[in-house]
Amino acid sequence: MSAIKTKRIALNETARAYNDARAFEYANSDDIQVVKIQMSITHPRTDICDYYAGVDKYGLGAGVYPKDKAPVPHFHPFCRCQMIPKYAGEYSKPKLNANADKEYLLGLKEWQRARILGSKAKANEALKTGDINSVFNAMKPERYKVKSINEVAGNLGIIRDLNETDNMIENEKFNKIIGNILDGNIIKDKSKQLAIVGNIPLKYKKQIESLLGKKLVSKDIAITQNEIWHAIRGSKPNHKKASSEDIYNIPNILASNKHIYFDKAKNNLLYFSKSINQTQHIIYIAINLNYIIKAFGEDNYIITISKFKNSDYKSRIKTLVKLRG
């Protein structure tokens, strides 16, 4: 991987973690009622940021949204847009304008519409549907779709029961571990070699404990620097390695609560998800419920990562118990 791509991934994921933490904070504040999307003063060219910061969908002004509906940056690589919280009493009651996207596009020149959506064809599609966000998101992998504050905060609430500050710290630790490994380096500070990336889904807790035959001793799921190193740079055959994009996607896989199985032979909790950039493969996350690492006075279950071909999926799950909420 080139140094430029490595830097881009590290910077973008750190910024994404920061904005997600802010979304969680705003969603849980009774004082914050609306959020304004503000572009950087050094924004270089017309793109999707202009739409999110410029459309008036709720009669509150350009780029101002009820907080639950506000889009959360990162809108594109190296995006520098910010969410500015506004407080109760600063704005009137929001009223959705269903034609806002179409009116916004019609107020632009053709080349501006094409820049915002990526092409004239996509701009024309957005004009026809009147839904810029849906057309834009349809071009993006799930991890990079633009989500509202409510959607992001909901995921973070599932991912782990931490306050917004701790949430951001764990995200930054996770992203820093990956960034260093992509650069061929390791973090020597032991306190920064492990990051929480998820938790045991509460709705499956009783079922898991019944299958396990004992109480769970922790809710936290963590990943170690060593596991990420072997997953990305190890000497396993290439088809078993996970890409950096798949590693970055682990918290989302754990948060989605889909395709979770229990291996009674090994007491492993298993998650499956399609690889982001190699769709013929499936990412396989195993959590050994017999093994605990204690870090910072807390017990953590540790994950291991691998990958296998789609064609092997049915045989892999044949003897497993699928968890049902």
Side-chain angles (χ1 to χ4, degrees):
M1 183 177 290
S2 70
I4 292 176
K5 187 173 182 181
T6 298
K7 180 181 178 183
R8 184 180 73 178
I9 291 173
L11 288 174
N12 289 330
E13 292 301 327
T14 299
R16 189 183 304 280
Y18 175 84
N19 286 321
D20 284 357
R22 295 283 71 74
F24 186 84
E25 176 187 352
Y26 299 160
N28 287 281
S29 170
D30 293 332
D31 295 325
I32 297 171
Q33 297 299 314
V34 298
V35 170
K36 178 177 174 61
I37 301 300
Q38 185 167 294
M39 291 195 300
S40 166
I41 59 173
T42 59
H43 194 268
R45 53 174 282 173
T46 301
D47 60 20
I48 193 66
C49 297
D50 290 78
Y51 161 65
Y52 289 117
V55 70
D56 182 4
K57 297 193 76 163
Y58 296 93
L60 301 173
V64 182
Y65 303 79
K67 72 173 180 181
D68 60 322
K69 305 294 184 184
V72 179
H74 228 53
F75 302 137
H76 61 79
F78 298 115
C79 177
R80 287 170 286 181
C81 287
Q82 292 182 316
M83 295 180 289
I84 309 298
K86 301 293 180 179
Y87 298 90
E90 290 188 45
Y91 289 87
S92 58
K93 188 176 180 179
K95 185 177 181 180
L96 176 65
N97 175 7
N99 295 316
D101 281 9
K102 187 172 288 188
E103 292 170 1
Y104 175 78
L105 288 173
L106 290 172
L108 302 176
K109 295 179 180 178
E110 187 178 55
W111 68 267
Q112 291 173 313
R113 296 197 290 265
R115 282 276 184 87
I116 286 172
L117 273 304
S119 70
K120 289 182 181 179
K122 291 297 179 183
N124 290 335
E125 182 182 345
L127 270 172
K128 185 177 179 180
T129 63
D131 191 343
I132 296 174
N133 188 68
S134 292
V135 173
F136 181 71
N137 272 344
M139 299 182 279
K140 300 289 183 180
E142 183 61 33
R143 174 169 172 74
Y144 300 111
K145 292 183 187 298
V146 176
K147 297 178 175 65
S148 69
I149 282 181
N150 253 21
E151 290 172 317
V152 170
N155 280 344
L156 289 177
I158 293 170
I159 289 174
R160 46 191 169 275
D161 184 20
L162 300 176
N163 62 45
E164 60 270 15
T165 301
D166 288 341
N167 223 332
M168 184 171 68
I169 289 171
E170 292 301 321
N171 271 297
E172 288 180 348
K173 282 167 62 180
F174 178 54
N175 294 328
K176 191 168 184 178
I177 291 171
I178 299 173
N180 273 271
I181 288 172
L182 291 173
D183 285 336
N185 302 318
I186 60 171
I187 297 171
K188 295 183 180 180
D189 183 344
K190 290 186 178 181
S191 69
K192 298 178 181 178
Q193 293 178 355
L194 177 147
I196 298 172
V197 288
N199 71 356
I200 303 295
L202 183 61
K203 64 180 179 180
Y204 299 130
K205 184 174 182 286
K206 289 184 178 179
Q207 186 181 2
I208 294 169
E209 289 179 338
S210 176
L211 292 165
L212 188 61
K214 59 183 179 181
K215 294 287 186 181
L216 292 165
V217 298
S218 176
K219 69 180 186 304
D220 292 328
I221 300 170
I223 191 167
T224 64
Q225 175 176 254
N226 187 58
E227 179 59 27
I228 296 174
W229 177 276
H230 286 293
I232 295 177
R233 304 182 68 93
S235 57
K236 301 174 183 178
N238 188 57
H239 74 278
K240 290 185 179 180
K241 290 184 185 178
S243 69
S244 57
E245 289 86 353
D246 288 326
I247 300 298
Y248 277 124
N249 197 40
I250 286 172
N252 291 327
I253 295 173
L254 297 178
S256 71
N257 290 325
K258 296 177 181 178
H259 309 296
I260 309 177
Y261 292 82
F262 188 84
D263 183 346
K264 291 191 289 186
K266 297 180 179 179
N267 283 342
N268 281 354
L269 196 60
L270 307 172
Y271 288 71
F272 300 95
S273 180
K274 282 192 175 182
S275 172
I276 288 177
N277 52 7
Q278 296 183 33
T279 53
Q280 72 276 22
H281 288 93
I282 289 175
I283 296 299
Y284 168 80
I285 298 174
I287 303 158
N288 186 343
L289 299 180
N290 290 326
Y291 181 63
I292 285 286
I293 284 184
K294 187 175 285 290
F296 324 118
E298 299 289 337
D299 293 327
N300 302 273
Y301 291 116
I302 302 300
I303 70 174
T304 57
I305 316 149
S306 190
K307 186 166 64 175
F308 58 84
K309 293 181 180 178
N310 289 350
S311 56
D312 296 335
Y313 180 64
K314 288 186 178 180
S315 63
R316 292 264 183 159
I317 66 171
K318 192 174 181 180
T319 61
L320 306 177
V321 178
K322 186 170 185 178
L323 300 188
R324 303 185 185 280

